[in-house]
Amino acid sequence: MDQFTFVIPTLLGVEGLTADELRRMNMQQVRAENGRVFCQGTMEDIPRLNLRLRTGERVLISLGTFPAHSFEDLFQGTKALPWEEFIPSNGAFPVKGFSLNSTLHSVPACQSIVKKAVATRLGTCYHRQTLPEDGALYQIQFSIMKNTVSLLLDTTGPGLYKRGYRAVGVAAPLRETLAAALVLLSGYRGRDPFCDPFCGSGTIPIEAALIAKNRAPGLNRRFSAQKWTWLPARVWVDGAGEAMDLEYHGNYEIWGGDIDPAAVQIARENAEKAEVEEIVRFSLADARAFSRKEPYGRIVSNPPYGERLMEKREAEGLYRDFGRAVQGLPTGWRINLLSSHTEFERTFGRTADKKRKLYNGMIKCDLFQYHGKKKSAT
């Protein structure tokens, strides 16, 4: 187990950012596909990836890939893999996965076959007819695409977007990994004033603060692989120490505002849990009256879409009023707004300099980016 192939699932549209993160961490053979990124690494990289990745959804170890056109192919291909090198005799190994464009299209049946094959292999290796599965979790994942099976082991547990700082939230929260992606796509690195006028529970400003400080987002949570017997505790201690050594300590101007007093209070509490309360300021504010005098800065925000939080007409009115407010900003301000509204640019009053397709959960969105130039929408 000297070298591993890691698979990092991502939200659609974020793959390039995750690949960049991996390259900055000096991971080898980084390769991005739709919805996932591959790389090569060692045992020591399991904590590093889990602790430090901002935009990846989880860290999976690839155990094997093989063709399967029948359940017998699936059983034999699974049983041939060295599961005993990873899962101890008492390890719990539930199975989940998906199948796309494949002969083996029944997911429950495939789950059963994979489970039976792993149990058969482990039972033979440990000389046991039954396996108690009362130990640590070794979650198995499978994917079957165009009759090719990939089997993986999940090192993460609850997804990496669960940073540990958001115990409660407001309606329609933004996933932390997507919030980090928005901040990175805006080009923010801690130097400019940073504002989110629709901050809700504070996810975007908190992620901006973590990025500004270069603080590892996973330091305040635990991971499945921390309980794995073959992964020494020292690698987690070393990984956390390395991450903390990389932190910056500076002065940052990061602000979030919301019209809902309860949301502002939750945002402040979440910032405390994330240990960034000293560099993020939240206040009660109406985005329609947003203004700043600084010559430059960045706005990154996720305004209400008009699908769940308010009626479409109300959302359009809000976009229009906010668009008028930011027209008064100095030309050095860059604006990045995530919306699923098909008429966003028209109602906002400006054509975006750049658009990027992203997904907020299952909602298809665009990130509308304005680089200080004022163009009228057609």
Side-chain angles (χ1 to χ4, degrees), residues 325-336:
V326 298
Q327 286 283 353
L329 290 174
T331 56
W333 280 78
R334 291 175 172 251
I335 302 169
N336 301 263

Side-chain angles (χ1 to χ4, degrees), residues 9 110 151 164 228 234 260 344 356:
C110 292
L151 288 163
W228 291 2
R234 65 164 178 80
D260 180 1
F344 176 84
R356 182 162 182 148

Side-chain angles (χ1 to χ4, degrees), residues 88-94 115 119 130-136 138:
S89 60
N90 69 334
F93 54 100
K115 180 78 176 182
T130 59
L131 298 162
E133 293 197 60
D134 56 2
Y138 297 79

Side-chain angles (χ1 to χ4, degrees), residues 66 70-81 113 117 121:
F66 55 88
S70 68
F71 287 133
E72 182 64 17
D73 291 342
L74 179 60
F75 181 86
Q76 294 299 338
T78 301
K79 189 165 78 74
L81 297 175
I113 296 294
R121 170 94 185 202

Side-chain angles (χ1 to χ4, degrees), residues 78-300:
T78 301
K79 189 165 78 74
L81 297 175
W83 296 100
E84 69 280 2
E85 293 183 11
F86 298 90
I87 304 174
S89 60
N90 69 334
F93 54 100
V95 177
K96 62 182 178 182
F98 65 89
S99 177
L100 290 172
N101 303 320
S102 298
T103 305
L104 304 178
H105 54 82
S106 170
V107 171
C110 292
Q111 281 178 292
S112 257
I113 296 294
V114 170
K115 180 78 176 182
K116 182 179 178 183
V118 176
T120 300
R121 170 94 185 202
L122 293 178
T124 300
C125 291
Y126 295 127
H127 309 290
R128 303 188 66 153
Q129 290 191 337
T130 59
L131 298 162
E133 293 197 60
D134 56 2
L137 175 66
Y138 297 79
Q139 176 70 60
I140 297 170
Q141 290 198 17
F142 69 84
S143 68
I144 308 176
M145 292 189 284
K146 296 181 180 178
N147 298 313
T148 297
V149 180
S150 295
L151 288 163
L152 310 112
L153 207 56
D154 180 10
T155 72
T156 302
L160 290 177
Y161 69 91
K162 295 190 175 180
R163 314 287 206 214
Y165 65 73
R166 194 168 68 185
V168 293
V170 293
L174 188 71
R175 186 172 281 201
E176 290 87 332
T177 44
L178 180 55
L182 298 180
V183 175
L184 292 171
L185 287 169
S186 79
Y188 177 73
R189 298 296 183 271
R191 297 182 182 89
D192 304 347
F194 183 97
C195 298
D196 178 2
F198 303 93
C199 74
S201 57
T203 307
I204 292 175
I206 290 170
E207 291 297 321
L210 293 172
I211 287 168
K213 286 175 62 68
N214 201 35
R215 181 175 175 80
L219 283 172
N220 290 340
R221 57 159 289 175
R222 296 190 64 79
F223 304 94
S224 287
Q226 285 179 268
K227 295 183 178 179
W228 291 2
T229 53
W230 56 267
L231 195 58
R234 65 164 178 80
V235 301
W236 291 96
V237 174
D238 292 346
E242 178 189 34
M244 288 187 283
D245 286 344
L246 294 170
E247 286 188 23
Y248 307 140
H249 302 282
N251 296 315
Y252 309 101
E253 188 177 339
I254 302 171
W255 173 85
D258 202 279
I259 201 168
D260 180 1
V264 172
Q265 182 57 36
I266 290 169
R268 288 171 178 158
E269 292 169 0
N270 288 345
E272 287 183 21
K273 293 187 187 85
E275 300 177 6
V276 294
E277 73 276 12
E278 293 182 359
I279 63 169
V280 184
R281 182 171 56 90
F282 293 103
S283 59
L284 193 65
D286 188 339
R288 293 169 295 190
F290 182 84
S291 66
R292 286 293 185 276
K293 290 185 170 56
E294 297 94 336
Y296 57 86
R298 293 175 198 268
I299 293 172
V300 180

